[in-house]
Amino acid sequence: MTDSFCTTWPHGKTAAASFCFDLDAESAVLSFAPQAASRMSVMSHQSYGPLTGVPRLLRLLEQHGIKATFFVPGYTAYRYPDTVRAIASAGHEIAHHGYLHEPLGEADEASEIEYLERGIAALQEVAGITPVGYRAPMWELNYRSAALLHERGFLYDSSLMDADNPYELATGNGVDSIVEIPIHWALDDWEQYCYVPDLFGSGLIESPAKTREMWSLELQATTTEGGCFVLTAHPFLSGRPSRAAALSQIMEEAVGAPGVWVATMCEIAAHARAQALVPRLLTQPEI
Ligand SMILES: [Zn+2]
């Protein structure tokens, strides 16, 4: 009998873990508040990611022997080409994250296609890479997105929250699918650390010790159940010293767990694809 979810893992491992970095930089602000481009301090909060956070995070990843996945908006690639090339040359995966981090919630199909194609072109031009992975900005996927991604050769998406394990997300034509690698807000550093007055957050910046505890509990519980732990961090947030130190402890814990396969999102998606899973069709609720 064929399964709908990927629950077996390679190399004798019993669970999987992946470390993702969304390299939003300024694009996460400019997509909804273009007037903030003139706010120098706000822009510097965002540019900390590619300028200061990424070098620190690359050192940590190398120290732990981890290959990660960086989701890079096309705008960020053009603005920080050397950073994106340094990530790629260190052997990490570069994946698609919109052009200017455009939210898809209210985008029409033509706009969604434009964001996809501009993002692909930017990653090709800057890093010579055609991405196979996609993550919707703000994790706001549309019911049409899987088909648009499949048509453009994508292997996987990572924007949905209805499962603990990867699955095949049907495009709706009865034939095709893409791999979905689920995520969740509790495994995103944005909710813990993101605070920019008038723009983001509640004003509460959490302690890295509390964040580490949350993520460690989730890592242990998810991997005990044979799931796929997917952590999402942003270099402008988790690239700061004490947060990077907390993240380093989670990396150490994942790498040190004998049953956990630490892999890039692309490697996990390729493994899931090889399981010949039965695709799941997710339909929009009728109201
Ligand atoms: Zn993002």
Side-chain angles (χ1 to χ4, degrees), residues 122-168:
L123 298 181
Q124 285 174 336
E125 195 175 322
V126 169
I129 285 165
T130 300
V132 300
Y134 178 76
R135 170 167 288 165
M138 302 307 292
W139 286 331
E140 188 75 50
L141 205 69
N142 283 325
Y143 283 90
R144 71 168 90 90
S145 303
L148 299 181
L149 291 166
H150 183 269
E151 285 163 15
R152 284 157 187 80
F154 282 85
L155 169 64
Y156 76 90
D157 169 72
S158 180
S159 313
L160 300 180
M161 313 191 192
D162 65 339
D164 297 323
N165 289 63
Y167 59 89
E168 291 279 353

Side-chain angles (χ1 to χ4, degrees), residues 22 24 97 101 234:
D22 294 3
D24 297 346
H97 195 41
H101 207 267
H234 297 76

